[in-house]
Amino acid sequence: TAVLLTWLGAIAVVITTISVSEPMSETVMDILCCCRVMALVQSFDATQNTTFLERATSIFTESIMPAWDTSECGGGVWWDAKHTQKATASNAGPIISSMLLYQRALDMNNDLALNKYLSWAEKVYAFWNATMCHANGAVVDHFAVQQQDTLPQCVEVDWSFTYNEGLMLGAAVTLASSHPSASRANRYTSDAIRFATHLTSNQTRHGVLYDACEMQCACCDCQQFKGAAAQALSQALRTGVLDARTHAAVASTLATSRQALWSNAQSVHVVNGTRRTVFGAGWAAPSPCTANAASHISATFALLSALDDVT
């Protein structure tokens, strides 16, 4: 535990040195939400150092909230500075970040912040859920904003990644478990069950989480997607928002996936004469692709999420 806290604190200190006003990157919301705000909030939880929470708040309010836009596609948070797309990654991620800050504001009795974070999260969620999520729980990857006859057109790109349903599940679970209104919390609970059911029923192979792109060795970041889905499924178990049937299906999928990745995804690499075990992308079956950082981190997330399971 001491080692983990030391690393967490070191990462948070590095993040606090990055300027809030720096230009948005090509993948602004992936980096700002997943790598900065969430890491800083968790660092605050672990250390109670308010500098980390203040930094997370600054990034969120100054860089993420202004990226919400209604001029193209009817709504949504921009994924990049060039405004080429609005993605599930750049909408569900900020919802989760907003609710994390809402929960900390609740602990500190900060009523002004409470209203700001909750209303913004609900606004983004309502748009994305209504526009980019299907009744069966499938989630569209992103809007591609293209110029046609001098006017921008929003084209749905319906790639199937466990990451997308995982992020929307995480957003629904966070809202359901924190919302002060019981009726609204119930609606988010229904959505969480919908997303979790799609993951366990339609995005598995032999009961194991599966992305078709994971076998395409030239792919960029697909190998890390299942880890995010596993974490969201574990969160759904931990918070107790699922009904008994869905709870059982999620618990089974997670247990089967972890056992399969332990059996199928391990490989040994020799680095400077030292043998090291790393995890590849194929959990249901060994992957032809060389294990990389993305696949190893994904598997590690899935395994570590077992620590939080309540079955």
Side-chain angles (χ1 to χ4, degrees):
T1 302
V3 173
L4 288 175
L5 287 175
T6 299
W7 273 102
L8 191 60
I11 292 170
V13 168
V14 171
I15 293 173
T16 59
T17 65
I18 302 173
S19 172
V20 175
S21 61
E22 69 179 10
M24 292 197 301
S25 68
E26 288 293 323
T27 54
V28 55
M29 292 310 152
D30 296 65
I31 291 174
L32 288 181
C33 280
C34 297
C35 296
R36 296 190 193 175
V37 174
M38 294 181 187
L40 285 164
V41 170
Q42 291 191 16
S43 297
F44 166 73
D45 290 345
T47 66
Q48 292 302 298
N49 184 336
T50 57
T51 300
F52 298 146
L53 186 60
E54 292 166 0
R55 180 64 174 145
T57 300
S58 296
I59 293 172
F60 188 82
T61 57
E62 297 177 28
S63 296
I64 296 175
M65 293 183 78
W68 165 262
D69 165 76
T70 57
S71 65
E72 309 293 350
C73 313
V77 178
W78 288 110
W79 179 75
D80 60 346
K82 296 180 180 178
H83 292 180
T84 64
Q85 65 173 265
K86 295 179 177 182
T88 295
S90 65
N91 283 268
I95 294 166
I96 296 170
S97 294
S98 191
M99 290 306 295
L100 289 176
L101 292 172
Y102 167 82
Q103 292 163 351
R104 278 53 189 188
L106 186 65
D107 293 339
M108 297 179 176
N109 297 314
N110 187 337
D111 293 337
L112 181 62
L114 281 176
N115 294 330
K116 176 175 67 175
Y117 295 133
L118 180 61
S119 61
W120 193 88
E122 289 199 284
K123 173 179 66 176
V124 178
Y125 183 93
F127 172 78
W128 207 256
N129 187 39
T131 308
M132 300 294 273
C133 301
H134 298 303
N136 68 349
V139 180
V140 178
D141 187 73
H142 68 276
F143 275 127
V145 182
Q146 304 172 352
Q147 289 295 128
Q148 296 181 7
D149 299 327
T150 71
L151 295 175
Q153 300 291 324
C154 296
V155 179
E156 290 186 11
V157 180
D158 201 7
W159 293 337
S160 177
F161 298 137
T162 56
Y163 176 68
N164 291 324
E165 284 76 14
L167 280 176
M168 283 303 293
L169 171 60
V173 167
T174 306
L175 282 161
S177 60
S178 302
H179 205 288
S181 165
S183 61
R184 290 189 184 182
N186 287 338
R187 290 203 297 269
Y188 295 127
T189 294
S190 296
D191 289 341
I193 292 171
R194 178 165 57 102
F195 296 129
T197 299
H198 190 272
L199 275 166
T200 59
S201 300
N202 300 289
Q203 293 178 288
T204 59
R205 175 172 288 186
H206 308 301
V208 179
L209 286 170
Y210 177 78
D211 280 310
C213 61
E214 70 191 32
M215 295 298 182
Q216 301 169 12
C217 302
C219 182
C220 45
D221 53 359
C222 169
Q223 290 86 359
Q224 67 185 317
F225 290 162
K226 297 192 299 295
Q231 284 196 313
L233 290 169
S234 181
Q235 180 192 15
L237 289 184
R238 183 173 68 254
T239 54
V241 301
L242 304 176
D243 59 16
R245 181 177 180 178
T246 309
H247 184 104
V250 168
S252 176
T253 296
L254 285 172
T256 305
S257 296
R258 291 167 184 147
Q259 183 59 55
L261 78 86
W262 189 261
S263 300
N264 298 321
Q266 291 191 62
S267 61
V268 176
H269 288 200
V270 178
V271 180
N272 296 328
T274 302
R275 293 167 58 87
R276 301 183 184 277
T277 299
V278 294
F279 291 100
W283 296 0
S287 171
C289 311
T290 301
N292 58 24
S295 65
H296 187 76
I297 290 171
S298 178
T300 302
F301 281 173
L303 292 172
L304 288 178
S305 68
L307 298 175
D308 296 323
D309 285 359
V310 177
T311 58

